[in-house]
Structures are given as C-alpha cells and as structure tokens.
Amino acid sequence: MLQTVSEPRADGAAGSVAGAQLAAYRFMLKARLLDDKFAALYRAGKIHGGVFIGKGQEALSAATGVSLKKTDVFAPLIRDAAGRLAFGEPIIDAIRTYLGSALGPMRGRDGNVHRGRPQTGLLPMISHLGAMISVVNGVLFARRMKGISGSVGVASLGEGATSTGAFHEALNQAAVEKLPLILVVANNHYAYSTPNSRQFACADLAEKAVGYGVGSHSVDGTDLAACLATLTAAVGNARAGHGPQLVVADLLRLCGHGEHDDASYIDPKLKNSPLGRDCLKVAEDFLVEEKIADAAQLAVWRSAAIREIEDAVAIVQREPSPNPFAEKWRALAEENLNELHEE
C-alpha cells in the first residue's frame, strides 16, 4: 500500500516528510530531463554558448528550493535547475533563455545562464565566484530597512568560490550584521579541473564557518533525505534569527564542467566512491523502498515530464529572436515598470 502524499508545490515542501521527499524528487527528475534536453540541443547546434548541467547535484539543489518560501530570496547557479524549479521558475523561462527567445525573462539580451526574475526573489546570476553572496546580503539589508521580516536568502556556490575575496567579505558582512543568509556549497571536488588539494588546506570546508562566527552544516549531497533535513534545519536557524548558516554538501559532478568538457581529469577513484552515486537513482530507490511510490508511478512522472519539456521546446522554437534594431535599450526593471503603468 503506497503512502498518500500531497502534490508537490513550489512554496516549501509538502506537509509530511514523505511529501517533502516526493516533491523534491519530482523537481530532481524534471531538472535531469531538462538538462538532458539542453545537452541534446547543444550537440545539435541549436544552442549558442555553453551548456552546464547539474547531473549529480540535483538532490542538494532541489532540497534548497523546497526548503524556501516564495517570499524568500534565492541566488542559484548554473547547476541549480532543480532548485530553480522548486522555487517556482517555469520550465519555459529556462528554455527561452537557452534558445535566445525574445520572450524570455532576459529578452535574449544576456548569456544563456544569467536568467532570473528579481521581483519574485529569483536573482539572475552575475558570477559563480562568490559574487552573488553580497547581492543576497543587499536584498536582505533592504528588506530589513523596509521593516520586512521573516524572509531568508540563499546563495549557491561551489567549493572554489570559498577561496575568493568576494566570499570572505560578504560572509564576514553577513555574520557581523546577523543576516538571515544561507550559503549552500556544492563541494564537487573540482573547481572546473582544479582538485580540492590545490584549493584549500582545511579538512572540511564547514570548518571555515568557525572563523566567521556562523553556523555550519555538513551533508552527504548524494542523499536527498539527508539534504532535505540539513537544509530545513539551516533555513530554520536563519529564519529564527540565528544569523548566517554555511551548508557544505559532499558530492561529485557526474559530467564535465560543461558539455564542451569530457571531465577526463576527474579521479576514477572518486567516481567509484560513494560520492559517485547518482543522487536521482538513490532517491528513486528510497521512494520505492519506503513505499512512497512504485516503479509504475515513477515511469508515469518521467513520461509526463518529458512531454512537458518537449511541448515547451516546440513552443519556444517558434518564437522570435531579439531584434537589436527594434530593441528598447533600457533596463528591464524600467521596462517592466512601464508595462505595469500601461496596464
């Protein structure tokens, strides 16, 4: 007898532990299939620029998105398709950005990974290297000054970003001001092709939290249940006024840095270690073992997600590309404001 769980939703997880795991899994599945589609379009020459997929990092990303509320702030990175979907990003936003549609959230103006909707708390990425931490700090400061309480902000980053000055300055600022910031570090053991042994000397990145006076959490990034528990705790601490929280997840990127990269530099020993587990398969096995879902239901969800993605791609492929001669070269925020006034 399968457990009854509520339908996944973007504004936090479903009411039960089983519901949270199911919601996060379905975002993981959709993100994996969406990434697979982008990789296929890239190989077919349909995408200009790079394609960077999150294979192996979906459990951490989905757990992050599921743990947040719609009133929170999220600054995802290139491998955060699952977290973006969980936070409420429509699939068509991602497809329009990658295919350069003029109807996308960035109007086809920017690179294919710098998408977002700041008005809804989903911040467009500036850079991977710690740059988004200070942006999230700024949003949280602004809300404090406006008297808005109860929201938190998440900045995603890789382990390489923890070696940058931007990371140090922004985390130090957040700690001093006790901002409700959560830093989610995907420690995939390679900053592009640079191994951890050439990046930092501490045994565990979570140890860096001590020097800044912030809370720390370490988690197995291949285990969805563990990621959900850890992110829920970290977000809860920040929301309760306990200041910034640093979450470090150990995992492995099960692909190259981008689709242009064969990842031949990754140590085979790591691939064959527990870090090399596919978090999507781990989550599926857990759902079946716990009788939250069965193989038939998993197949139905996969088919439905594929149809949704294919339908969205078909729509976007018929949409216009941006016309630089007709473009109104002004800030998108100003353009959106004018559209609201016109309505």
Side-chain angles (χ1 to χ4, degrees), residues 62-110:
T64 300
V66 165
S67 68
L68 296 175
K69 298 179 179 179
K70 287 184 178 179
T71 52
D72 292 330
V73 181
F74 183 31
L77 292 186
I78 53 177
R79 305 188 204 288
D80 275 316
R84 288 173 176 273
L85 292 171
F87 194 63
E89 181 184 62
I91 276 181
I92 203 164
D93 272 14
I95 297 170
R96 281 173 166 162
T97 305
Y98 262 113
L99 293 180
S101 169
L103 303 182
M106 313 312 287
R107 309 293 193 272
R109 293 181 179 183
D110 209 334

Side-chain angles (χ1 to χ4, degrees), residues 1 14 52 94 99 108 113 125 127 143-144 154-155 160 173 197 203 231 235 239 242 246 252 260-261 267 275 287 297:
M1 187 72 176
F52 308 90
L99 293 180
V113 294
M125 184 187 74
S127 167
R143 291 186 176 187
R144 176 183 289 179
V154 167
Q173 177 192 45
S197 60
L231 264 299
V235 169
R239 205 181 300 279
H242 299 306
L246 176 64
L252 197 63
H260 60 279
D261 168 32
D267 187 343
L275 287 176
L287 291 174
Q297 185 62 69

Side-chain angles (χ1 to χ4, degrees), residues 109-239:
R109 293 181 179 183
D110 209 334
N112 60 26
V113 294
H114 300 279
R115 68 183 186 273
R117 292 186 181 273
Q119 298 90 341
T120 66
L122 186 63
L123 304 184
M125 184 187 74
I126 298 171
S127 167
H128 318 294
L129 300 180
M132 295 307 297
I133 308 173
S134 60
V135 178
V136 175
N137 285 358
V139 175
L140 295 174
F141 258 126
R143 291 186 176 187
R144 176 183 289 179
M145 294 175 71
K146 291 179 177 179
I148 301 172
S149 60
S151 61
V152 303
V154 167
S156 296
L157 59 157
E159 80 287 341
T162 67
S163 301
T164 66
F167 171 87
H168 164 80
E169 293 178 3
L171 183 53
N172 188 62
Q173 177 192 45
V176 170
E177 297 295 337
K178 297 191 183 304
L179 295 176
L181 169 75
I182 304 99
L183 292 186
V184 180
V185 180
N187 179 15
N188 61 29
H189 293 260
Y190 287 90
Y192 200 139
S193 59
T194 304
N196 281 2
S197 60
R198 303 300 301 166
Q199 292 186 66
F200 49 83
C202 54
D204 185 343
L205 279 175
E207 295 175 2
K208 290 194 174 187
V210 177
Y212 296 96
V214 307
S216 67
H217 311 258
S218 296
V219 65
D220 176 357
T222 71
D223 185 332
L224 175 59
C227 288
L228 283 167
T230 300
L231 264 299
T232 298
V235 169
N237 286 348
R239 205 181 300 279

